[in-house]
Structure formats: structure tokens, C-alpha cells
Amino acid sequence: MKKTLLLLGMTMAAVPQAKAESPLISDGKVSGYLRAYDFTRDYSGNALTDLHSFSLGGKLGVESGSIGGFSAAAGFYFAHDIGFNNYSQNNKYLNPLLMGTSHGLDVLGEACLQYKNSWTQIRAGDQKIDNPWVNPSDGFMMPNLYQGITSEFYPAAGLKLSADRIWRFKNRTFSSFQASNLFELPYSNPRYNGSNNGTLDLGASYEKGPGRIQAWFYNFYDFAKMTYVEGGYRFPMGTVVSPFADFEYMKESNSGAQFLGSVDSRFYGARIGLNIPQGNVFFAYDKVPYNQSAGISNGNLLSPYTQIYNTDPLYTTVMNYGLVSARGAGHATMLGTKLKLLGGRLDLFPTLSRYSTEPYVSSVNAFMFDIAYHMQGRFKGLTLRNRLGIEHGLAAWGNRYIDERVMLQYNF
């Protein structure tokens, strides 16, 4: 921990003192955040052991200025338990989702070169990627990170084209990049702990006025090929209240060696709601049709970078459950609202959802409440957030369990 703080101090002190002889330095930027996180899981009314983890950490990011469109960026991540966690009885009481089972984690997670002009951006190296099925999953101390080449092109107003080739992956609780994905984790379902050849994704999105649409193709090499389409329309009514409608569809099939077996899955979903001055209210529905041809009721739907973290793009997925991680055919419904109050300082996001997957998997009811307060004035950049989740019906975890995730973060 002392080494981490010393490195941060030396880096932040050195940047302002550097001579501004080149735009690489004079136009450079330093940014990041400090984060304290407390994560508890209470398996109420059953024999499972309650879990807890605490961590203090953050990120220091440095980005150079640009010469001829070329620049460089790096991001250092750190997380430490500062003596608050219980590692006894082989980590029986520790929640490994927060920062794994180590006492501390220090990682140079981002290190990439970039070329950018008015119509394109290309990055090569270790970096964050954020698209529907390959994303940071940044719900704890560190994000998922990727090693590869990413590119974006802007050939016309409102149109963006994307192409990414990923070779290696760093899970948010690991210290290094590996030729792997989330299926290697010991608590993953399904599980594959061998190496793989990464992922290719191609995407296109278009937005004009009240309408938008995006389409993606993924080849999760030797696991599955996926096509995903999502879009929406906001109906302008000239009043303070206006309706909206969104849709999504996914089709997945075999790829290469089929490390986790045959794949033949799909889902479709819709979301309707009303935009109001303080936010919106909505109802969402997703359906994974029954298809036993791949040996499992949901067609063996695979998502190598989101599956057990519940960060997939389905409208009904919540922070700790969803149809993808359920591993069973069925449908889900959600009623919720997103509100911004007190001039944008207070965020409220409560939802009620139902995952009807019987007889293949136990059906689950879930209540989520996400609240965040953003400080202003001299404390601007400081956010206090609490995410509470209560689930009923998941047989493997007893009749009920409660997740509570409290985070204090300062952005600089």
C-alpha cells in the first residue's frame, strides 16, 4: 500500500513540473478517481455463509497530448483491503467479486497508443472497451480490461462504425492479461479454464433525431458467433411527457472448436415508457425461447465477458441476476423508474423484476434500489452511492439473499 501511494504521489508531482516543450506534455492530462467500497451478501434464512469485502483504491490515468493525431495513454489501478477483511477458513467469509482473494492488487491496466482525427480513432494496446457484449463491467474496484486493437469510424453525421480485435483479457480481479475470459473463474457456470483466441467484433450505430439503431456481430472464437440488434424511438409530443419504445434481438450459433458445446440460442425484448421532466418510467420484457437442441433449455447462450457479472445488455438484467446468467429458457419482466432530482444531484433507480424460468431453473423475484448523491461546491466530484438488491426464489442460494454495495468515489 505504501508503495502504491508513493508512486501516485511521485507521478502527480512530476507531471506539472515537466517542461512544456512539446504538445505531448503541454496538452497532456491527468485524471482518475479514489474509491472506497463495502460489499455484503446476506443469505437470509439458510445455511450458506454470509460474505463481506471492503476495499480502498482507485485509478490514476495519464494521457499525452497529440502530435499529428498520435498520442499515448496509461492507467494505473490499485485496490487494498486495509485490514478490514476476514480471510480465515480458506476465505470462507470473503466475497471474491470485489477484488479477488488477495490483500491488495496493483495493476498497470491501460497502456495504449492512439491515432485520432475528425473521422477515425484507432487504439492499440491494453485498454477499456465498451460495447453491448464486450464492456468494462465496472461495478466494483477495477474494470474488465482488454488487450487488442480497437477502431471507430465516423463516415457521416450520426453514423459510427466499429471494429475490434481482442487477443487477451484481464478480469477485474486478476493482476495480468491472459488468453482467457470469464468462463475460467471457478464459480463460473459454464466453466472452461483453457486458453482461447479472443474475440472479433464489428458494429454499426446510427442516430438521427428521435430514432436510433445499432447492430453488432461477435465471433467469440471457439465459443459462439453472435448477432445483436437494438434500437429505439422517442415520440416527440411537444409536451413535458413523451413516450418511447425500444427493442432488441440476439441470435447465437456455433464457432470453431465449440469449447463449451453446441450453441443455438436467441432472445428478443422490448421496453416501453414515458419520459418525464425528472427522468422516465418504463416496463421491459425479455424472452429466451426454449431450444433443447444444444443440450440445455436456453440453447446454451454464452457471453464470455459478461455472463457471471450480469453486465449484458438485456433490458431486464439487474446487478446480480438476469436471463443470461440464469442458464434457462423463459422470460423476464421489469417495472422501473430512473429519476434525477435536486437539480441532478440525486439519482434514484428502483426496479421490480420477475424471471420466469421454471421448470428449467427456479423462478426469481428481484427488487433493486440504486441511489446516488453527487456533491456540489467545494466537494464537487464526490459521489456517495448505495445499491441494494433483494432476490427471492433462487434455490441454489436459499429462499432469499440480500446484496448491498456501498461506494464512496471522488473523481479528479
Side-chain angles (χ1 to χ4, degrees):
M1 183 66 176
K2 293 181 179 179
K3 292 182 179 179
T4 300
L5 296 177
L6 179 62
L7 176 60
L8 287 174
M10 293 175 61
T11 304
M12 296 181 71
V15 171
Q17 296 173 9
K19 295 181 179 180
E21 297 177 352
S22 165
L24 288 173
I25 298 175
S26 61
D27 295 338
K29 296 182 292 184
V30 176
S31 62
Y33 58 80
L34 297 174
R35 180 181 293 178
Y37 205 118
D38 189 79
F39 183 14
T40 60
R41 176 169 289 172
D42 179 10
Y43 295 102
S44 301
N46 61 74
L48 295 174
T49 303
D50 296 341
L51 302 176
H52 172 261
S53 288
F54 176 86
S55 184
L56 177 66
K59 174 192 175 181
L60 175 65
V62 179
E63 184 175 350
S64 76
S66 174
I67 294 183
F70 291 94
S71 62
F76 175 75
Y77 295 86
F78 62 101
H80 292 264
D81 67 2
I82 62 173
F84 286 171
N85 293 336
N86 184 351
Y87 296 89
S88 65
Q89 299 185 51
N90 195 28
N91 303 317
K92 179 179 179 181
Y93 306 98
L94 185 72
N95 193 327
L97 293 176
L98 187 59
M99 51 177 276
T101 57
S102 65
H103 292 260
L105 194 60
D106 302 295
V107 178
L108 182 63
E110 297 177 53
C112 62
L113 298 176
Q114 173 180 282
Y115 175 76
K116 185 177 181 179
N117 60 30
S118 60
W119 60 273
T120 188
Q121 175 178 288
I122 300 173
R123 286 184 175 178
D126 304 339
Q127 58 190 293
K128 282 202 292 188
I129 299 177
D130 196 357
N131 64 56
W133 295 89
V134 178
N135 59 58
S137 299
D138 190 14
F140 294 105
M141 291 306 297
M142 299 183 186
N144 287 337
L145 297 165
Y146 305 86
Q147 187 178 91
I149 298 176
T150 64
S151 58
E152 295 180 350
F153 304 92
Y154 309 91
L159 177 63
K160 181 174 78 171
L161 306 178
S162 303
D164 307 324
R165 179 62 171 99
I166 299 163
W167 284 280
R168 297 168 70 85
F169 169 70
K170 196 198 83 63
N171 176 32
R172 60 193 183 192
T173 61
F174 285 12
S175 60
S176 62
F177 288 84
Q178 302 173 13
S180 65
N181 53 43
L182 292 180
F183 293 138
E184 75 166 334
L185 295 176
Y187 40 84
S188 175
N189 179 25
R191 186 161 189 252
Y192 175 80
N193 60 1
S195 63
N196 66 76
N197 292 319
T199 294
L200 169 72
D201 66 61
L202 306 171
S205 63
Y206 182 71
E207 184 171 352
K208 184 176 182 180
R212 61 176 181 82
I213 190 169
Q214 59 176 326
W216 291 86
F217 168 78
Y218 298 86
N219 191 345
F220 305 115
Y221 289 112
D222 297 314
F223 290 98
K225 294 178 181 178
M226 175 190 290
T227 301
Y228 175 71
V229 180
E230 194 271 343
Y233 191 83
R234 305 296 183 261
F235 298 90
M237 297 180 61
T239 65
V240 294
V241 176
S242 60
F244 66 87
D246 302 321
F247 73 92
E248 58 182 348
Y249 174 80
M250 185 279 293
K251 177 70 175 71
E252 198 172 39
S253 59
N254 293 327
S255 173
Q258 302 176 35
F259 286 154
L260 286 172
S262 177
V263 175
D264 184 12
S265 64
R266 61 181 56 80
F267 77 79
Y268 50 86
R271 180 173 55 195
I272 57 174
L274 291 174
N275 290 314
I276 59 178
Q278 295 81 21
N280 63 52
V281 293
F282 66 89
F283 174 80
Y285 174 87
D286 282 307
K287 171 75 171 181
V288 176
Y290 173 81
N291 181 5
Q292 190 69 39
S293 64
I296 182 172
S297 65
N298 71 346
N300 196 23
L301 198 164
L302 299 177
S303 179
Y305 302 108
T306 74
Q307 190 130 350
I308 61 171
Y309 287 163
N310 297 293
T311 52
D312 57 76
L314 272 70
Y315 297 144
T316 55
T317 297
V318 293
M319 70 177 185
N320 52 13
Y321 202 69
L323 288 177
V324 175
S325 60
R327 295 285 288 163
H331 67 272
T333 56
M334 175 184 286
L335 180 64
T337 180
K338 284 186 176 182
L339 300 174
K340 276 193 170 292
L341 307 174
L342 304 180
R345 296 193 301 274
L346 180 64
D347 297 336
L348 298 178
F349 185 18
T351 63
L352 282 170
S353 52
R354 165 76 175 176
Y355 305 90
S356 301
T357 51
E358 293 179 347
Y360 319 110
V361 181
S362 298
S363 294
V364 171
N365 296 316
F367 168 72
M368 300 288 148
F369 188 70
D370 188 342
I371 179 171
Y373 186 79
H374 310 282
M375 305 290 188
Q376 299 295 319
R378 68 175 64 182
F379 298 108
K380 187 176 182 180
L382 186 65
T383 295
L384 176 62
R385 184 181 184 187
N386 188 14
R387 290 188 292 168
L388 176 68
I390 304 174
E391 271 91 352
H392 293 264
L394 189 60
W397 289 358
N399 182 55
R400 183 184 70 173
Y401 73 96
I402 301 171
D403 269 6
E404 187 166 20
R405 310 178 184 187
V406 181
M407 183 182 75
L408 181 67
Q409 178 166 313
Y410 177 70
N411 295 317
F412 60 87

